[in-house]
């Protein structure tokens, strides 16, 4: 009966993507091969994160990265694992990582047509206390033939062909979109396979949760201050929203995607471009939100329309349920 069929008809992420790619007659499996190498990286980081407490992998690596952040061993390890996995896939030509100051140009013999931008370990300040962390990635298709340049990755997020994240929490969940909806897969450690567990994720049109670091409230601009005020003291008689803030973007976004609501990292007087990086945090999460029926806004324009000029450029971001983001857009429009 149904349960048995379900158990024997394992929809692995590999099978799922092959099915999806078969819709494109010209596809020669390159995307599926690229994805299988990203999945390999996620499986490795998942096992390293789970062992971190035991293997004393936590704690500082003693260096700081271009972001001026102390690098934790897992940051460094995850970055190396993803760079090696992506290069060995033979399907990439440029890699941009939060942990590398410059873009990596893959050697000719291993070059492919994809550019991958990624945050190998997101939420690293939460490693030592065991709170969920993750990996975020976005994929651009670069025009083949020409010598790749950094300009190939300074493209608006709407040009991405795919984006996703893997969350290392109570279970290891990979959420992915390649442009036709959002699907979630959970790692079955006994098989070492990601199995489809969240088909066709759709974010609720409106939510009851707002997610922001209230510790920055002193420095917020007027529209953000007004919006958060409304969340706490609604004027239309509705009940106040709940505040949920984990401090790992992957965990906060995953909850927003499944439960609805809004996630914000606004600009403030100290950091006029907010904190989150455009290429490998704002764009992939905005891509997923739009694909799930939500939206993402920078305080100025649609997030995916932003054209970055530097690979580690930051931008404010307001993303989540369609109606909730509409409200903050109206407040920014009113201030003009
Ligand atoms: P990363 O660990 O990759 O540098 O990213 C951390 C980011 C993001 O995960 C999270 O949303 C944000 O930092 C939290 O910032 P605050 O601690 O300033 O709220
Ligand atoms: Mn960091
Ligand atoms: Mn991050
Ligand atoms: Mn990171």
């Amino acid at each position: 009966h149904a349960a048995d069929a379900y158990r024997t008809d394992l929809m692995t992420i590999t099978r799922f993507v092959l099915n999806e790619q078969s819709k494109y007659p010209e596809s020669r499996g390159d995307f599926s091969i690229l994805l299988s190498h990203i999945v390999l990286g996620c499986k490795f980081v998942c096992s390293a994160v789970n062992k971190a407490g035991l293997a004393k992998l936590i704690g500082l690596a003693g260096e700081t990265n271009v972001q001026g952040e102390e690098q934790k061993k897992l940051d460094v390890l995850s970055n190396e694992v993803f760079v090696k996995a992506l290069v060995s896939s033979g399907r990439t030509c440029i890699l941009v990582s939060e942990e590398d100051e410059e873009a990596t140009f893959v050697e000719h013999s291993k070059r492919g047509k994809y550019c991958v931008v990624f945050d190998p370990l997101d939420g690293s300040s939460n490693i030592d206390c065991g709170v969920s962390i993750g990996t975020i990635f976005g994929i651009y298709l670069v025009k083949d033939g020409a010598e790749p340049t950094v300009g190939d990755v300074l493209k608006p997020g709407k040009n991405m062909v795919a984006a996703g994240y893997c969350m290392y929490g109570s279970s290891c969940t990979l959420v992915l979109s390649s442009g036709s909806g959002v699907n979630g897969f959970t790692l079955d450690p006994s098989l070492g396979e990601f199995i489809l567990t969240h088909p066709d994720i759709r974010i609720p049109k409106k939510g009851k949760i707002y997610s922001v670091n209230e510790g920055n409230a002193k420095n917020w601009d007027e529209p953000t201050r007004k919006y958060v005020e409304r969340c706490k003291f609604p004027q239309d008689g509705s009940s106040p929203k709940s505040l949920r803030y984990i401090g790992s973007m992957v965990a906060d976004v995953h909850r927003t995607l499944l439960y609805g609501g809004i996630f914000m990292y606004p600009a403030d007087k100290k950091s006029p471009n907010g904190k989150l990086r455009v290429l490998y945090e704002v764009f992939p999460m905005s891509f997923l939100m739009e694909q799930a029926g939500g939206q993402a806004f920078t305080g100025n324009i649609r997030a995916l329309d932003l054209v970055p000029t530097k690979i580690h450029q930051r931008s404010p971001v307001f993303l989540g349920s369609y109606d909730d983001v509409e409200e903050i857009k109206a407040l920014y429009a009113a201030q003009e």
Side-chain angles (χ1 to χ4, degrees), residues 60-66 68-73 76 80 99:
L60 301 185
E63 294 104 32
T64 57
N65 63 11
V66 63
E69 298 166 337
E70 289 172 330
Q71 279 185 311
K72 296 199 180 283
K73 284 198 183 82
V76 179
E80 282 167 18
E99 301 304 331

Side-chain angles (χ1 to χ4, degrees), residues 79 82-83 86 95-98 116-120 136-138 280:
N79 189 46
F82 276 103
V83 170
L86 289 166
L95 306 179
V96 171
S97 162
E98 180 205 351
V116 182
V117 294
F118 62 102
D119 178 355
I136 311 171
F137 60 90
Y280 41 80

Side-chain angles (χ1 to χ4, degrees), residues 78-100:
S78 315
N79 189 46
E80 282 167 18
V81 164
F82 276 103
V83 170
K84 288 189 178 124
L86 289 166
V87 170
S88 67
S89 76
R91 297 307 186 276
T92 63
C93 57
I94 312 174
L95 306 179
V96 171
S97 162
E98 180 205 351
E99 301 304 331
D100 292 328

Side-chain angles (χ1 to χ4, degrees), residues 99-293:
E99 301 304 331
D100 292 328
E101 183 157 0
E102 303 301 330
T104 300
F105 293 89
V106 180
E107 67 200 83
H108 276 271
S109 64
K110 290 214 178 317
R111 212 165 263 183
K113 59 187 181 182
Y114 292 106
C115 154
V116 182
V117 294
F118 62 102
D119 178 355
L121 205 67
D122 172 71
S124 45
S125 63
N126 280 324
I127 294 177
D128 296 357
C129 63
V131 166
S132 298
I133 51 183
T135 297
I136 311 171
F137 60 90
I139 302 171
Y140 288 101
L141 188 58
V142 287
K143 51 188 182 309
D144 51 9
E147 190 59 20
T149 69
V150 77
D152 290 314
V153 295
L154 296 176
K155 299 280 187 222
K158 63 188 168 193
N159 291 22
M160 284 187 173
V161 293
Y165 60 80
C166 190
M167 186 172 79
Y168 312 108
S170 47
S171 61
C172 180
T173 305
L174 200 154
V175 172
L176 172 72
S177 172
S178 51
S180 36
V182 180
N183 293 281
F185 303 82
T186 304
L187 183 65
D188 176 338
S190 67
L191 296 174
E193 289 284 358
F194 279 98
I195 308 294
L196 179 67
T197 48
H198 298 70
D200 192 21
I201 299 175
R202 307 289 297 164
I203 183 170
K205 199 161 176 307
K206 197 164 172 46
K208 301 190 180 62
I209 296 169
Y210 74 103
S211 185
V212 67
N213 182 341
E214 291 251 14
N216 298 330
K218 192 166 68 72
N219 299 319
W220 286 339
D221 62 19
E222 195 50 24
T224 294
R225 208 193 50 69
K226 262 196 193 138
Y227 179 75
V228 173
E229 190 71 10
R230 277 193 197 165
C231 291
K232 300 189 217 183
F233 305 96
Q235 289 146 351
D236 58 3
S238 60
S239 45
K241 290 187 191 285
S242 288
L243 169 60
R244 291 283 183 276
Y245 192 71
I246 301 165
S248 290
M249 185 184 197
V250 170
D252 280 316
V253 167
H254 189 59
R255 183 209 52 249
T256 304
L257 191 63
L258 297 186
Y259 295 0
I262 187 166
F263 169 78
M264 304 174 261
Y265 207 107
D268 68 40
K269 288 192 202 92
K270 280 184 313 169
S271 14
N273 284 326
K275 173 181 182 179
L276 299 177
R277 280 57 56 112
V278 172
L279 278 184
Y280 41 80
E281 290 172 318
V282 175
F283 278 170
M285 297 316 208
S286 302
F287 185 97
L288 290 167
M289 279 299 161
E290 289 200 2
Q291 285 291 318

Side-chain angles (χ1 to χ4, degrees), residues 1-10:
H1 53 80
D4 290 349
Y6 178 74
R7 230 192 305 284
T8 52
D9 185 22
L10 290 176

